[in-house]
Amino acid sequence: MLQKAPRRTRERILELSLRLFNEFGEPNITTTVIAEEMNISPGNLYYHFRNKDDIVNSIFIQFEAEIERILTVPDGRRSNIEDVWLYLHLMFELIWRYRFFYRDLNDLLSRNRKLELHFKQILAHKIKVAKQLCEDLRSEKSLDASDAAIDAMATNMVVVATYWLSYEYVRNPRKYTEQQSMADALARGCYQVLSQIGPYLRGETHTLFQKLTEEYLKKLK
């Protein structure tokens, strides 16, 4: 039976750093802490990464690749409300997996020019996808909204999704790492984002939206 090859030190450093950043906040973790947790010397760490920003940027490359896959809208057909629902689920799962970027966002962007530029691009791409999803629903007569309303909806959906974890952290900082509490928090986030378009839905899509949200809200009680 073939044995799996051991993970390389660089990969282990990134995996551990992501866990520490998520759990304690990126500003509170130093390269010394990472090296100690890895049980390696600081010199060994610096062989793989020049500094903490280098680690952060490497994690961001992983995050960026994953989010680009999610932000790829299916070709060949228009999106429906279930596509929007799935898109939001996948987006919030990814946000949770890399939550330190969102919780420590302002601090990170203020001192990391690369993250500043790339995160702006990600936000713009999110808004573009949200807008396209809304326009697809409108083209199917499932959504009744003007261009201006769709622009506002798309922006509001992205704003809520981007800062939802910060909001939940303020609400329950002591429960932020509890798995069930945060699962519920992410579910509430999906609902809050989707509720932006609820009043504009029509016909069978509105009925399906109500059914989906009712089932979802029952799980949160």
Side-chain angles (χ1 to χ4, degrees), residues 123-172:
L123 289 181
H125 196 174
K126 284 182 180 180
I127 291 173
K128 180 181 177 182
V129 170
K131 183 178 178 180
Q132 183 176 341
L133 292 171
C134 291
E135 289 175 344
D136 283 353
L137 290 172
R138 183 173 65 177
S139 69
E140 294 292 328
K141 309 298 183 184
S142 298
L143 183 142
D144 184 11
S146 65
D147 288 344
I150 286 178
D151 285 343
M153 272 189 282
T155 299
N156 290 340
M157 290 168 76
V158 173
V159 169
V160 173
T162 300
Y163 290 100
W164 186 256
L165 288 184
S166 295
Y167 168 74
E168 287 289 350
Y169 181 74
V170 173
R171 286 184 70 242
N172 290 302

Side-chain angles (χ1 to χ4, degrees), residues 70 80-92 190:
I70 293 176
N80 55 42
I81 193 66
E82 291 177 310
D83 291 324
V84 179
W85 196 266
L86 176 61
Y87 164 74
L88 288 174
H89 273 282
L90 294 174
M91 182 61 63
F92 270 100
C190 286

Side-chain angles (χ1 to χ4, degrees), residues 206-221:
H206 183 258
T207 302
L208 179 57
F209 168 79
Q210 288 184 311
K211 181 175 181 290
L212 288 170
T213 54
E214 285 172 6
E215 291 175 353
Y216 220 52
L217 291 173
K218 284 179 184 176
K219 296 177 183 179
L220 297 177
K221 290 180 181 180

Side-chain angles (χ1 to χ4, degrees), residues 97-209:
R97 197 151 64 243
Y98 293 92
R99 57 193 174 275
F100 83 93
F101 283 126
Y102 288 83
R103 188 178 65 181
D104 305 323
L105 185 59
N106 292 351
D107 182 71
L108 284 165
L109 298 190
S110 68
R111 56 183 173 79
N112 191 316
R113 179 64 173 166
K114 180 178 180 180
L115 257 62
E116 178 190 348
L117 294 174
H118 284 246
F119 217 93
K120 283 181 181 178
Q121 293 172 356
I122 287 174
L123 289 181
H125 196 174
K126 284 182 180 180
I127 291 173
K128 180 181 177 182
V129 170
K131 183 178 178 180
Q132 183 176 341
L133 292 171
C134 291
E135 289 175 344
D136 283 353
L137 290 172
R138 183 173 65 177
S139 69
E140 294 292 328
K141 309 298 183 184
S142 298
L143 183 142
D144 184 11
S146 65
D147 288 344
I150 286 178
D151 285 343
M153 272 189 282
T155 299
N156 290 340
M157 290 168 76
V158 173
V159 169
V160 173
T162 300
Y163 290 100
W164 186 256
L165 288 184
S166 295
Y167 168 74
E168 287 289 350
Y169 181 74
V170 173
R171 286 184 70 242
N172 290 302
R174 296 179 185 276
K175 293 185 176 182
Y176 193 74
T177 57
E178 292 182 9
Q179 187 172 355
Q180 187 57 52
S181 294
M182 293 320 300
D184 291 344
L186 295 177
R188 286 192 296 271
C190 286
Y191 170 74
Q192 290 296 330
V193 173
L194 199 58
S195 68
Q196 299 289 323
I197 66 174
Y200 297 91
L201 296 176
R202 299 292 181 265
E204 292 182 2
T205 297
H206 183 258
T207 302
L208 179 57
F209 168 79

Side-chain angles (χ1 to χ4, degrees), residues 28-74:
N28 301 316
I29 299 298
T30 64
T31 52
T32 301
V33 170
I34 296 170
E36 289 176 351
E37 288 287 325
M38 281 284 297
N39 197 26
I40 61 175
S41 68
N44 195 350
L45 179 70
Y46 292 131
Y47 173 79
H48 297 280
F49 299 97
R50 296 186 303 276
N51 47 42
K52 189 171 75 167
D53 276 352
D54 195 14
I55 296 175
V56 171
N57 289 338
S58 296
I59 294 174
F60 187 80
I61 289 172
Q62 296 177 351
F63 164 74
E64 197 170 27
E66 291 187 47
I67 204 166
E68 286 298 322
R69 286 194 291 272
I70 293 176
L71 292 173
T72 302
V73 178

